[in-house]
């Protein structure tokens, strides 16, 4: 699987490049300098659902067809949310997911969905702004994503 991590902030890309595993070929792309054309684009449901369909799903990532001709990838993958439970009108994260990072759960779900739908030959772009992960001071998110990628590679 070919993986791109994109941002318009060089500082964010530098941070992420220090955390993500070198065991897989990941290209870090500054979108100001050039655009990435990947088979699949990962983006948050906040941006995707109105444009490409789908609805929030807490269990698995969703692969949506891009038939808009908007210049983005032909396929959009939306990460899953952490599962919740409702008890006495209170909503909380399901107990077995309380210690699971949202970024870890999202990226592991994305990678599994792409492999399931397209196999290992697909290219995927993780657009950090569209995933809400574009903070150059946040080390916990790329660390969680690195753990997700390492688990994915070991499956």
């Amino acid at each position: 699987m070919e993986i791109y991590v994109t941002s318009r902030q060089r500082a964010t890309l530098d941070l992420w490049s220090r955390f993500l595993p070198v065991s897989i070929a990941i290209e870090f792309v500054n979108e100001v300098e050039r655009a990435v054309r990947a088979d699949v684009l990962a983006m948050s449901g906040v941006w995707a659902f109105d444009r490409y369909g789908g609805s929030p799903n807490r269990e698995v990532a969703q692969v949506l067809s891009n038939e808009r001709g908007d210049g983005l990838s032909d396929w959009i993958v939306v990460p899953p949310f952490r599962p919740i439970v409702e008890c006495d009108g209170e909503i909380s994260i399901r107990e077995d997911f309380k210690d699971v990072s949202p970024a870890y759960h999202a990226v592991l779900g994305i990678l599994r969905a792409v492999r399931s739908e397209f196999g290992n030959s697909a290219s995927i772009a993780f657009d950090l702004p569209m995933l809400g992960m574009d903070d150059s001071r946040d080390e916990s998110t790329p660390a969680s994503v690195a753990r997700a990628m390492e688990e994915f590679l070991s499956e």
Side-chain angles (χ1 to χ4, degrees):
M1 193 174 296
E2 198 173 350
I3 297 176
Y4 300 95
V5 174
T6 67
S7 173
R8 291 181 176 260
Q9 299 185 74
R10 175 53 55 193
T12 301
L13 293 172
D14 290 344
L15 174 70
W16 280 67
S17 70
R18 291 196 319 260
F19 280 91
L20 296 189
V22 294
S23 58
I24 51 177
I26 299 173
E27 187 175 342
F28 298 90
V29 179
N30 185 325
E31 289 181 318
V32 172
E33 297 168 5
R34 74 176 182 93
V36 169
R37 186 72 181 148
D39 300 319
V40 182
L41 175 64
M43 73 169 66
S44 170
V46 170
W47 306 111
F49 294 141
D50 285 344
R51 293 182 62 90
Y52 308 108
S55 60
N57 187 321
R58 297 196 175 274
E59 301 301 322
V60 295
Q62 296 173 65
V63 177
L64 308 172
S65 176
N66 178 3
E67 298 173 5
R68 297 181 61 94
D70 58 9
L72 297 179
S73 299
D74 292 337
W75 299 97
I76 307 297
V77 64
V78 178
F81 300 92
R82 289 185 302 169
I84 61 167
V85 292
E86 184 177 345
C87 183
D88 299 326
E90 297 275 325
I91 295 176
S92 62
I93 300 299
R94 206 169 73 196
E95 191 63 37
D96 56 334
F97 277 85
K98 284 198 187 244
D99 295 328
V100 175
S101 155
Y104 172 90
H105 183 63
V107 169
L108 188 57
I110 288 169
L111 292 169
R112 286 174 173 163
V114 170
R115 180 177 55 200
S116 174
E117 189 77 23
F118 305 105
N120 287 322
S121 63
S123 60
I124 180 168
F126 287 91
D127 186 290
L128 298 181
M130 289 186 173
L131 285 167
M133 300 179 179
D134 201 28
D135 184 346
S136 63
R137 297 175 310 271
D138 174 17
E139 293 186 356
S140 66
T141 298
S144 294
V145 169
R147 284 192 306 277
M149 288 182 171
E150 289 166 355
E151 179 170 328
F152 176 76
L153 290 172
S154 70
E155 293 179 340

